[in-house]
């Protein structure tokens, strides 16, 4: 294996992780500003719940805007959305759609 190549891939990986962390932090702050309860996360996704709006209704609205988040109708998480951290453009679209929905 070429050590230069491995080092380069390590740098790419580190930059990607840093980008996901920064985007996750920004999305967490935006969601909390809109009133969501967002569980702390060290992963590439967030669990978020809004006290005034049902997760299923939010998910269905987002689908009409071609934005897909996960909803599980399982006890304990049936009012939480699982939101995967995407690109900045995808997160901007999500934030915009949520602002339109939550007024």
């Amino acid at each position: 294996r070429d050590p230069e190549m491995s080092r380069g891939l390590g740098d790419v990986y580190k930059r990607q992780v840093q980008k996901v962390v920064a985007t996750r932090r920004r999305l967490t702050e935006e969601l909390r500003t809109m009133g969501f309860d967002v569980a702390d996360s060290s992963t590439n996704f967030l669990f978020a719940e809004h006290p005034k709006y049902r997760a299923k209704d939010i998910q269905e609205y987002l689908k009409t805007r071609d934005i897909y988040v996960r909803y599980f109708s399982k006890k304990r998480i049936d009012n939480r959305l699982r939101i995967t951290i995407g690109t900045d453009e995808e997160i901007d679209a999500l934030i915009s759609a949520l602002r339109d929905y939550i007024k």
Side-chain angles (χ1 to χ4, degrees):
R1 226 176 230 188
D2 181 356
E4 288 297 315
M5 181 67 129
S6 295
R7 190 175 311 117
L9 291 176
D11 292 342
V12 169
Y13 176 77
K14 286 178 189 173
R15 283 194 303 275
Q16 188 61 34
V17 168
Q18 290 169 345
K19 188 167 183 61
V20 169
V21 169
T23 303
R24 183 183 66 221
R25 185 178 308 119
R26 179 172 71 95
L27 179 57
T28 299
E29 290 170 6
E30 291 283 350
L31 291 172
R32 287 179 176 160
T33 297
M34 288 184 259
F36 281 89
D37 171 43
V38 182
D40 291 333
S41 176
S42 298
T43 65
N44 69 333
F45 66 89
L46 297 173
F47 264 124
E49 176 178 19
H50 199 282
K52 295 181 183 177
Y53 301 94
R54 291 182 34 216
K56 181 66 175 160
D57 295 340
I58 297 170
Q59 182 214 27
E60 288 174 2
Y61 171 76
L62 291 173
K63 273 201 281 190
T64 69
R65 304 272 300 257
D66 288 327
I67 299 170
Y68 298 92
V69 298
R70 302 284 307 268
Y71 165 77
F72 302 97
S73 59
K74 298 196 182 282
K75 196 173 182 176
R76 294 183 47 195
I77 61 169
D78 65 342
N79 200 39
R80 291 199 170 258
L81 298 171
R82 183 191 184 280
I83 304 169
T84 301
I85 305 303
T87 66
D88 285 330
E89 294 79 18
E90 291 166 337
I91 297 304
D92 290 342
L94 171 64
I95 291 168
S96 177
L98 287 172
R99 284 185 182 145
D100 289 345
Y101 186 81
I102 296 170
K103 296 187 179 199

